[in-house]
Each structure stands twice: as C-alpha cells, then as structure tokens.
Amino acid sequence: YQDAAYAAQYRAFVQAQPNDPVALAGLARTALATGHEAEAKKAIASLRPLAANDPDTALAVARLDVADDDRDAALPVFAAA
C-alpha cells in the first residue's frame, strides 16, 4: 500500500512540475511497482527528452526500461557508461 501512496504523491508533483525528472522517475517506479504499466510508460516517455541533456536522467530511464522488460532500449545507455 505504501507504493500506492507514493504514486499518489508523485502524481500530484508531476501535475505541478510536469518536466521534473525526479517526479517523473518516481512516478514511473511506483507505477511499475503497483502494476500501472500504462502510467509508467507515459512517465518514461516524458523522461526520455530530458535524458538527452542529463546523464543521471538517462541512467534512470535505462533502469526503468529494464524494470519494464525493455532491455533493448536500455542497452545504449549502459554501453555508453
């Protein structure tokens, strides 16, 4: 139940700050943990453009891709690290 509470907090944060990478990554993580795959994929998609200029965000996106069983999307980031 704690993940659901965190997800609600991240949703509110993303509504207030839609381009905040910490909020988007948190929402994606908690959405994956609570089985809300569509919401997680939307948050990950919103993170991708932010990752181009920030290696920490790129790594967060790659980790989320792995958690979402999309290893092919994560490989270039891990290969470049």
Side-chain angles (χ1 to χ4, degrees):
Y1 300 110
Q2 191 172 17
D3 285 334
Y6 288 144
Q9 290 175 347
Y10 281 120
R11 274 186 213 103
F13 192 18
V14 168
Q15 285 180 344
Q17 299 289 330
N19 292 321
D20 186 285
V22 173
L24 288 165
L27 179 58
R29 273 194 313 275
T30 56
L32 284 171
T34 56
H36 295 97
E37 291 183 25
E39 183 175 36
K41 288 179 187 294
K42 183 177 177 185
I44 293 168
S46 295
L47 264 173
R48 285 195 197 286
L50 303 174
N53 299 320
D54 182 6
D56 290 334
T57 302
L59 185 57
V61 170
R63 288 179 177 153
L64 290 165
D65 284 333
V66 169
D68 192 34
D69 290 327
D70 190 358
R71 288 175 176 80
D72 291 338
L75 281 175
V77 174
F78 290 131

